Amino acid sequence: MSKIIASAAIRGAHKIVARAEKKWQEAMEKWQPNEAVGFPNTTYYLPIIYGILGIKVEKLADMESVLARCKSLLPPMVKATHPLPYLAPALDAGMATFFAEEIIEAIRYLEEPDFYTKQEDPINSNIWLGAADDIILRKRGIEFVDGTAPGFAAILGAAPTNEIAVKIAHELQQKNLYVFMSASHDGKKFSEQLVESGVQIGWPTRLISFGPDVSATVFAMGFATRVALSFGGVSPGDFRKVLIYNKDRTFAFAMPLGYVTDEWYANAAGAINWGFPTIADTPIPEVLPTGITTYEHVVSNVPHDKIVARAIEVRGLKVSVAEVPIPVAYGPAFEGERVRRDDVYLEFGGGKTQMVEWVSSKRMDEVEDGKIEVIGPEIIDVPAGSKLPMAIAIEVAGREMQEDYEPILERQIHHFINYAQGLMHIGQRDIAWIRISKAAVDKGFKLHHLGSIIHAKLHQDFGRIFDKLQIKIYTEADKTQEIVDKAKAIYAIRDARIEGMTDEATDTFYSCTLCQSFAPSHVCVISPERTGLCGSYNWMDCKAANEINPTGPNQPVPKEETINAKLGQWKGVNEFVSKASRGTLDHYNFYSIIYDPMTACGCMECISAVLPLCNGIMTVNREHTGMTPCGMKFTTLAGTIGGGVSSPGFVGHSKYNISQRKFLSAEDSIKRLVWIPKMLKEEIADRFNARAKEIGIPNLMDMIADEAVGTTEEEILPFLEEKGHPALTMEPIM
């Protein structure tokens, strides 16, 4: 190991640990030992300290033992006459650095509660996001498991120019990587360079501005550690497994841009513990032999036009990006991008004009693969700021194609179009909305390219179930109306078919074992009336996915003999659950929250819990961060019932499942619901009210309490009594 690097890393670690100790002493004097500390809305305490040491830092006094551990890890300063400082002391110094930086940042939350936005997006007056909360972790962390996001680049400092910063950021986005930003160089910060250039930053675009100081780098490492704990099944304190998981599964690297300070060296040494190498643009000493990382530890003096490719090479990352023949950048990183009103060149739908998207099956001789037609005005035919109607009619043909697959293909349009830089797509069917930015048009984007995107991506992801596809894009009002009328008729038929499907009507359910990578004993079995708890898969989705990938996570599960119709238990499902959970479970019930409910992995959209005093059930969605009447927030509930266990009295489920007829039907279904957060009420209102009318209680939603009524059973019970909630007169739930 380079003596220069080792010496600098150790010096930097000493500085950071000393700073942490000073801030801790000052905080102890100001707030006293029992003052609560931590990162907001997370059950992972200070995640690196928790993951590596197993120590829960909940109050200022808890930091004392961590600081002692920091000092024990710090090697002595390297003397000029020292012949060879080894790698191990530098790595210890790096680990002490991260422990100390978590203490620094936790005290910052105490000193300056509004320093970070504590949300997914920056605000006009503040671009510093701070630590990701558990909602963001669950939403984004899963992408590091399923490969949607193979890893991240931790950028420290700033590029020489804004143009170079934008180029590097876009190249990383196109590789599907997240970009975590911290620290400054010559008074400039990479995130500020992007904002100044009109680039949207935040979690939706994968450009995360953690904080302005080098200590904010710890948020990136903390996120990686939490991925291992949450999705890798690693226990807190099992530092070896935390580090190995990240080396093998999270393809991340540090990218310092500008002069590398001692503190930067210390952070780089810390990152090497996780298997993350450093790729720099300045001529710092290199550490080329392999060891802790997959290949080189430190690579330097890399030109900016080659730095992304070199970083990917050194990390050993294999990037697969579909080639889509369009003139703008393309990849999942752009899905969260928003095209603001002032940036719009042309838009369709959104309540201002008609818009519809429709996939229909045709005979083989009716479809010419790759044919794309624009019928009506093209982009070049209208001035900036225009609004046009649009109908996207996709015609597919194939020997394996079925009508049931049409809505599956249709649903993908949203993602595929959003992957294009400078385009925004919202909604589906006849409530879709597309905006195309001026920047995209300047680069040569045309409506024809919408067809190119859909053709390339549907073939890539779903080519197994069809052979040919052609696309017609209508921008004339009369033609659009004609397609709208035809599509709505088909939508009605589809809805009737899907809504009318029952568990009794099929002999086959489908599994989803995608989440077993982080919850090994969890087995999700999906039926027509029990959608996947993550909300991403229904029965038809799984059927289509199995057709596309017969060896994938969505396997057919024969029901076989009914063991208990009321609870929802079948012989074939039990056998599959036993096998797929490796003997951890031998059965569970689809329709009950009391008797052996289905397992959960942590990715559920909602969690229901029994409220004994109210003789009912509450349901909370992931987005709700407040307290609930069962005495736990969503994050605590998820940590309690997640991990692949059956938890009587609790169950995870999707939002859609709430209004399905078999939802907790063993306990009288929605008649038992006594508390739902207001935001969830609003989201599910239409379907819920239709279901309530069906069971003869059309005003049931009005009888259900929310957080405005109270967040304890004692607070909401008088409301339920006043409204005459049916749960109060039912048989005891327990």
Side-chain angles (χ1 to χ4, degrees):
M1 180 138 185
S2 166
K3 181 176 180 177
I4 296 174
I5 290 180
S7 302
I10 293 169
R11 284 196 307 270
H14 274 271
K15 294 176 185 177
I16 291 169
V17 171
R19 181 185 168 202
E21 185 172 34
K22 183 174 184 293
K23 287 188 73 70
W24 175 73
Q25 291 171 345
E26 292 171 349
M28 288 282 282
E29 292 176 5
K30 184 175 181 180
W31 284 289
Q32 303 304 311
N34 289 325
E35 183 71 25
V37 294
F39 298 156
N41 300 320
T42 176
T43 56
Y44 293 91
Y45 310 96
L46 303 186
I48 296 178
I49 295 169
Y50 186 47
I52 301 299
L53 301 178
I55 297 174
K56 298 178 181 179
V57 177
E58 299 177 90
K59 55 185 185 295
L60 280 172
D62 298 334
M63 294 177 173
E64 185 172 11
S65 63
V66 179
L67 286 167
R69 186 67 65 91
C70 289
K71 292 178 181 179
S72 71
L73 285 170
L74 284 178
M77 295 287 196
V78 179
K79 298 179 181 178
T81 57
H82 199 294
L84 185 63
Y86 292 99
L87 178 59
L91 296 180
D92 287 346
M95 190 65 77
T97 295
F98 287 151
F99 297 159
E101 287 180 339
E102 280 200 321
I103 289 173
I104 291 170
E105 289 295 341
I107 293 174
R108 167 169 273 171
Y109 272 105
L110 192 61
E111 294 175 331
E112 303 175 82
D114 298 324
F115 188 87
Y116 297 119
T117 67
K118 300 185 288 288
Q119 60 183 40
E120 282 202 343
D121 292 297
I123 58 179
N124 291 335
S125 59
N126 189 1
I127 66 170
W128 313 123
L129 303 184
D133 63 21
D134 283 353
I135 294 174
I136 295 172
L137 174 69
R138 291 288 180 183
K139 183 178 179 180
R140 306 290 172 179
I142 188 65
E143 297 177 355
F144 290 80
V145 178
D146 64 17
T148 306
F152 63 82
I155 293 182
L156 291 81
T161 67
N162 290 7
E163 291 75 19
I164 292 173
V166 171
K167 185 178 183 302
I168 290 173
H170 284 169
E171 193 171 353
L172 289 165
Q173 285 178 300
Q174 286 182 281
K175 305 301 184 186
N176 299 338
L177 295 165
Y178 277 83
V179 183
F180 295 156
M181 300 170 283
S182 61
S184 63
H185 170 65
D186 281 346
K188 296 186 295 184
K189 302 170 182 65
F190 194 86
S191 52
E192 290 179 340
Q193 291 180 307
L194 299 182
V195 173
E196 290 168 4
S197 302
V199 176
Q200 292 181 30
I201 66 173
W203 282 98
T205 59
R206 301 191 181 185
L207 301 173
I208 320 306
S209 179
F210 276 134
D213 302 321
V214 66
S215 56
T217 308
V218 81
F219 295 139
M221 305 309 299
F223 186 86
T225 303
R226 290 161 69 190
V227 168
L229 297 176
S230 183
F231 303 114
V234 182
S235 300
D238 193 343
F239 67 89
R240 187 173 181 275
K241 287 186 177 179
V242 169
L243 301 179
I244 290 176
Y245 179 93
N246 276 281
K247 178 187 177 183
D248 294 341
R249 299 288 299 275
T250 304
F251 291 90
F253 49 86
M255 185 182 290
L257 300 175
Y259 177 75
V260 180
T261 66
D262 289 349
E263 290 87 345
W264 287 23
Y265 276 118
N267 277 267
I272 290 174
N273 285 287
W274 274 253
F276 303 162
T278 293
I279 296 85
D281 64 344
T282 52
I284 62 175
E286 296 190 311
V287 183
L288 299 180
T290 60
I292 309 300
T293 59
T294 303
Y295 298 115
E296 296 90 341
H297 295 82
V298 179
V299 177
S300 71
N301 208 27
V302 182
H304 295 114
D305 60 345
K306 294 181 173 62
I307 197 167
V308 172
R310 185 76 169 109
I312 288 171
E313 174 197 340
V314 172
R315 186 60 184 90
L317 173 61
K318 307 299 182 186
V319 177
S320 178
V321 180
E323 289 295 327
V324 180
I326 58 176
V328 297
Y330 190 85
F334 300 106
E335 187 175 12
E337 182 185 20
R338 290 291 178 262
V339 179
R340 311 296 182 189
R341 181 181 302 171
D342 293 342
D343 300 326
V344 175
Y345 187 96
L346 180 59
E347 67 180 315
F348 310 87
K352 301 175 180 66
T353 65
Q354 281 197 310
M355 181 167 178
V356 67
E357 297 165 345
W358 177 35
V359 173
S360 60
S361 304
K362 299 292 183 180
R363 299 192 314 270
M364 293 287 283
D365 61 354
E366 292 179 303
V367 178
E368 179 184 339
D369 189 49
K371 184 178 181 181
I372 301 170
E373 297 178 83
V374 177
I375 302 160
E378 248 287 3
I379 289 179
I380 58 175
D381 300 325
V382 298
S386 297
K387 299 177 178 63
L388 291 176
M390 174 180 280
I392 300 178
I394 303 169
E395 300 173 335
V396 297
R399 293 173 177 82
E400 302 297 324
M401 185 62 196
Q402 303 176 30
E403 287 185 356
D404 288 348
Y405 299 159
E406 291 172 359
I408 308 302
L409 301 181
E410 221 166 75
R411 192 176 303 152
Q412 312 310 311
I413 298 172
H414 170 75
H415 302 290
F416 294 161
I417 291 178
N418 268 329
Y419 289 175
Q421 186 184 22
L423 274 68
M424 184 184 79
H425 183 287
I426 296 174
Q428 58 181 332
R429 286 189 169 184
D430 59 329
I431 56 171
W433 180 19
I434 291 178
R435 279 181 167 179
I436 301 175
S437 71
K438 296 174 183 176
V441 174
D442 288 342
K443 292 178 180 179
F445 192 88
K446 298 179 180 178
L447 296 183
H448 184 275
H449 292 122
L450 290 174
S452 301
I453 292 170
I454 296 168
H455 178 260
K457 292 299 295 180
L458 281 179
H459 261 301
Q460 181 193 35
D461 294 354
F462 293 88
R464 184 180 178 88
I465 60 175
F466 69 87
D467 299 309
K468 298 192 292 184
L469 150 154
Q470 63 188 21
I471 301 159
K472 297 175 183 176
I473 300 172
Y474 299 91
T475 57
E476 294 177 348
D478 292 347
K479 290 289 185 180
T480 298
Q481 184 62 56
E482 184 180 328
I483 301 299
V484 168
D485 294 340
K486 292 180 179 179
K488 281 186 172 181
I490 299 300
Y491 297 157
I493 295 171
R494 288 181 190 168
D495 289 343
R497 185 171 70 240
I498 295 172
E499 283 294 321
M501 289 186 69
T502 65
D503 289 352
E504 292 78 15
T506 179
D507 294 327
T508 303
F509 295 163
Y510 286 90
S511 71
C512 182
T513 53
L514 181 65
C515 297
Q516 282 199 338
S517 57
F518 52 90
S521 61
H522 170 58
V523 184
C524 196
V525 179
I526 296 170
S527 73
E529 295 184 271
R530 198 9 166 132
T531 55
L533 56 84
C534 65
S536 299
Y537 289 89
N538 61 33
W539 185 86
M540 294 187 70
D541 296 329
C542 293
K543 184 176 184 292
N546 181 253
E547 293 284 343
I548 298 164
N549 183 11
T551 61
N554 304 115
Q555 294 296 305
V557 181
K559 285 179 6 185
E560 299 185 14
E561 175 187 344
T562 300
I563 295 175
N564 192 313
K566 180 180 179 181
L567 296 176
Q569 188 181 149
W570 300 267
K571 178 176 177 292
V573 175
N574 287 350
E575 291 173 352
F576 180 87
V577 168
S578 177
K579 180 181 179 181
S581 70
R582 301 167 183 84
T584 304
L585 300 163
D586 59 14
H587 76 283
Y588 57 48
N589 298 309
F590 276 46
Y591 311 141
S592 179
I593 190 174
I594 301 292
Y595 303 102
D596 301 329
M598 188 179 291
T599 59
C601 61
C603 293
M604 68 289 284
E605 284 190 310
C606 301
I607 298 173
S608 287
V610 172
L611 300 179
L613 181 64
C614 299
N615 201 36
I617 295 166
M618 55 149 275
T619 288
V620 59
N621 56 310
R622 181 179 297 279
E623 296 84 356
H624 182 72
T625 59
M627 185 55 68
T628 72
C630 74
M632 291 181 278
K633 296 181 179 181
F634 184 95
T635 51
T636 306
L637 282 166
T640 302
I641 74 169
V645 296
S646 179
S647 305
F650 305 87
V651 70
H653 56 86
S654 69
K655 296 174 182 177
Y656 184 86
N657 187 220
I658 297 171
S659 52
Q660 292 187 288
R661 291 178 178 84
K662 294 291 178 59
F663 173 70
L664 304 184
S665 57
E667 287 79 39
D668 299 301
S669 194
I670 61 173
K671 293 179 185 178
R672 289 280 189 180
L673 286 174
V674 298
W675 189 92
I676 302 175
K678 186 178 180 181
M679 70 168 71
L680 182 58
K681 279 185 175 182
E682 293 172 351
E683 186 172 347
I684 66 172
D686 289 345
R687 284 181 50 82
F688 185 94
N689 290 333
R691 177 82 178 103
K693 184 179 179 180
E694 184 180 285
I695 62 174
I697 317 175
N699 63 332
L700 179 59
M701 184 70 87
D702 298 331
M703 300 180 184
I704 299 173
D706 55 36
E707 67 272 27
V709 176
T711 55
T712 69
E713 287 199 74
E714 291 79 8
E715 289 174 345
I716 68 173
L717 184 57
F719 174 87
L720 302 175
E721 292 172 336
E722 178 189 340
K723 296 292 184 179
H725 196 291
L728 301 179
T729 58
M730 293 179 181
E731 292 291 320
I733 193 169
M734 297 180 70

